[in-house]
Amino acid sequence: QVQLQESGPGLVKPSQTLSLTCTVSGGSISSGNYYYSWIRQHPGKGLEWIGSISHSETTYYNPSLKSRVTISVDTSKNRFSLELTSVTTADTAVYYCARDIVRGLWSYWGQGALVTVSS
Amino acid sequence: DIQMTQTPSILSASVGDRVTITCRASQSISSWLAWYQQKPGKAPKLLIYKASTLESGVPSRFSGSGSGTEFTLTISSLQPDDFATYYCQQYSGDYTFGQGTKLEIK
């Protein structure tokens, strides 16, 4: 059974870079034609797709965040990462990592990591 | 980008009720529509994809229908475990979610 686990700082200062890592267990990132994604949820609000990456490093980003987002993959460590630059308080959210079963359809999710942007 | 609009935002119902949630897309998405269930403090759970296909393990009281721009999620007989927030999501273009429908106990 595939499992995902987010890790990273829970507090980031405004204007700095938010960095999170998602470690995948129960299956190799290198196998299958899956995409690994980051999705966030502002407190008490709905869900927002941030971007996705394949094991061959093909990436797709939400146009509204594209200028600030980088998603990378490390197949040797079976994990992928998110960097979001120039954060503001509007980036405070629970950040989920997820794996799809078909592009854009997420069946496997991490438990979520709350990241607060505050000075 | 494609906007998804869910109605209602809040739905009050009782155990045993039949309930329907509607999701509208700002442009045609064919049948590229999924429904998720989310409980407080938990990640979303995929219930239905391709508008009407039930994910493995999801109870048959859940059903989905629609195509193009209008879709519905129906729960035929509400169970206590079904009180949660439901989101529709399109995967026709860049991926977007509806704002959610909170299903609460009447």
Side-chain angles (χ1 to χ4, degrees), chain A residues 35-39 47-53 97-109, chain B residues 34-36 44-47 49 55 89-91 93-97:
Chain A
Y35 276 79
Y36 294 84
S37 301
W38 290 97
I39 296 155
L47 298 153
E48 179 180 36
W49 169 68
I50 299 170
S52 306
I53 190 166
C97 60
R99 198 209 83 178
D100 67 12
I101 50 174
V102 165
R103 269 192 59 193
L105 205 58
W106 300 289
S107 193
Y108 301 97
W109 295 71
Chain B
W35 290 97
Y36 294 83
K45 174 187 174 184
L46 178 64
L47 298 177
Y49 59 94
E55 172 72 332
Q89 177 235 330
Q90 66 81 17
Y91 53 108
D94 290 332
Y95 316 125
T96 50
F97 294 84

Side-chain angles (χ1 to χ4, degrees), chain A residues 45-65:
Chain A
K45 302 294 184 184
L47 298 153
E48 179 180 36
W49 169 68
I50 299 170
S52 306
I53 190 166
S54 70
H55 67 81
S56 59
E57 302 185 78
T58 300
T59 53
Y60 296 89
Y61 297 128
N62 185 326
S64 69
L65 297 168

Side-chain angles (χ1 to χ4, degrees), chain A residues 16 22 24-25 32 44 51 54-55 60 66 75 82-83 86 96 99 109 112 114-115:
Chain A
Q16 293 191 343
C22 181
V24 180
S25 59
S54 70
H55 67 81
Y60 296 89
K66 187 175 183 177
T75 54
L82 168 70
E83 287 196 339
S86 305
Y96 292 100
R99 198 209 83 178
W109 295 71
L114 173 62
V115 179

